[in-house]
Amino acid sequence: LVTVLFACVAIHRVECDVTHTSRRAASRAVPNYQNDAVFGSSWERARVLAELEQSVEDWNAEVVATASDAASAVAKRRLIVMPLDDRFDPPPGVFSHGHVQTGDKMSLPKNFFAAIQRNNAEIPWLFEVSRIKGITSERVTVPDSAQESNLDKVVGGALDFRSPSNYIFLPKWMILALSLKPGDVVEVRLITTVPPGSAVRLRPLKSEFLKINNHQAVLETELKHYSSLTRGSTIPFDYLGKRYYFDVVDLRSAPRGEKVPIAKVQDCDLAAEFVRAKDQLQKPK
């Protein structure tokens, strides 16, 4: 029972050695055996999670066993989604510090660092996160959310490679963009074919952002925390303690300015502009 129950706790313990920490946590999480209702509920949750982890592990093992080479064996995985939180915030002085939720970085298992090395991937290292038809649960709509999206995939960079095996931790906006909930299963792969961006058009959800005197400079500064952009997503920026949201309405690639669904923005000569804010659009009668 303890071996099964530790799985419920391990996903929250990303700072330390997964096995050691999980066992200690499980010993504290053992339910009161005299309370049958609590025991039964805890057992059922542990059983469901254990079966989910095993199915993901089996699929990933098949990928490794059938891969044509060592590089492709580590470049793709099915992973269980969990949300990033402040425990993942890099220390002060590191570029992504304070931008766990306002960037496109995700925490990945260490096999993807091996994938970068074996595939000789160039910076920025990008990863595609996709819903899986028939596997990922039905889309979740969050009431009063700033984001309205029906994307099937997004692309982002790596925050670190310390996620437990078979798990991925995503910023909230990515989870909402894919209409996911914690515990959903997605497919993740290293992607090296994203074109460099030449232009992006963003729609602020609220016009008050455009009243900031230096809003164009704020845009250019905050975009540095995104390695790539996905058309149709809604991304957040923070400025002076307030969070603003922007729809990515158009992306163009370099050098010919072709319309693309995904583009790199890191280390690119990117022309960024705003279109009319969403709250200024005339609603249909």
Side-chain angles (χ1 to χ4, degrees):
L1 172 61
V2 173
T3 303
V4 176
L5 288 179
F6 88 81
C8 293
V9 182
I11 55 179
H12 302 293
R13 300 281 184 168
V14 297
E15 298 285 350
C16 307
D17 176 76
V18 176
T19 302
H20 178 67
T21 305
S22 300
R23 286 174 176 167
R24 287 190 302 160
S27 67
R28 296 194 297 269
V30 175
N32 183 350
Y33 292 103
Q34 296 177 347
N35 189 330
D36 291 340
V38 173
F39 177 76
S41 176
S42 298
W43 176 270
E44 179 62 18
R45 290 196 301 270
R47 183 190 64 79
V48 171
L49 180 58
E51 290 181 353
L52 177 63
E53 289 182 328
Q54 189 61 58
S55 67
V56 170
E57 176 67 25
D58 290 346
W59 193 91
N60 290 336
E62 184 70 15
V63 168
V64 175
T66 59
S68 58
D69 53 53
S72 58
V74 291
K76 181 173 70 173
R77 290 289 187 272
R78 281 187 181 177
L79 300 174
I80 301 170
V81 172
M82 294 300 291
L84 280 173
D85 59 32
D86 289 341
R87 291 174 297 170
F88 291 86
D89 194 14
V94 177
F95 181 70
S96 293
H97 175 69
H99 286 81
V100 169
Q101 299 297 340
T102 53
D104 68 341
K105 306 302 186 290
M106 59 191 83
S107 181
L108 295 152
K110 61 184 180 181
N111 68 278
F112 283 104
F113 186 70
I116 290 169
Q117 296 174 314
R118 295 180 186 179
N119 287 276
N120 297 314
E122 297 182 356
I123 294 175
W125 303 326
L126 297 178
F127 303 88
E128 181 184 87
V129 182
S130 306
R131 293 179 60 90
I132 309 168
K133 187 175 181 179
I135 300 297
T136 308
S137 65
E138 293 184 5
R139 292 183 180 274
V140 175
T141 301
V142 179
D144 301 322
S145 171
Q147 297 182 231
E148 299 176 5
S149 178
N150 288 308
L151 294 174
D152 289 319
K153 62 183 178 182
V154 295
V155 172
L159 179 65
D160 57 46
F161 299 94
R162 59 193 180 99
S163 172
S165 177
N166 299 325
Y167 282 89
I168 183 171
F169 289 76
L170 300 176
K172 181 180 178 181
W173 74 262
M174 275 192 184
I175 292 177
L176 294 176
L178 294 171
S179 303
L180 301 171
K181 66 179 185 300
D184 276 341
V185 177
V186 294
E187 184 170 301
V188 182
R189 66 186 182 97
L190 173 69
I191 184 169
T192 59
T193 57
V194 178
S198 64
V200 59
R201 300 176 74 191
L202 300 174
R203 184 186 305 281
L205 269 59
K206 294 186 177 181
S207 55
E208 62 180 295
F209 179 81
L210 300 177
K211 298 177 183 178
I212 298 174
N213 290 333
N214 58 340
H215 63 263
Q216 190 68 31
V218 173
L219 166 65
E220 294 173 0
T221 298
E222 293 303 313
L223 273 180
K224 293 178 181 178
H225 294 282
Y226 290 83
S227 303
S228 66
L229 293 175
T230 302
R231 190 177 71 237
S233 63
T234 301
I235 60 174
F237 295 164
D238 282 346
Y239 182 67
L240 296 180
K242 188 166 186 177
R243 184 155 297 173
Y244 300 90
Y245 293 88
F246 305 82
D247 292 337
V248 181
V249 298
D250 189 60
L251 280 173
R252 303 284 169 163
S253 65
R256 295 189 293 179
E258 297 172 317
K259 193 171 185 177
V260 291
I262 299 170
K264 290 187 291 189
V265 296
Q266 182 177 327
D267 301 327
C268 294
D269 186 10
L270 188 74
E273 63 175 300
F274 294 111
V275 299
R276 193 173 185 180
K278 196 168 186 176
D279 63 358
Q280 292 180 327
L281 296 177
Q282 185 175 2
K283 295 183 180 180
K285 296 181 180 179

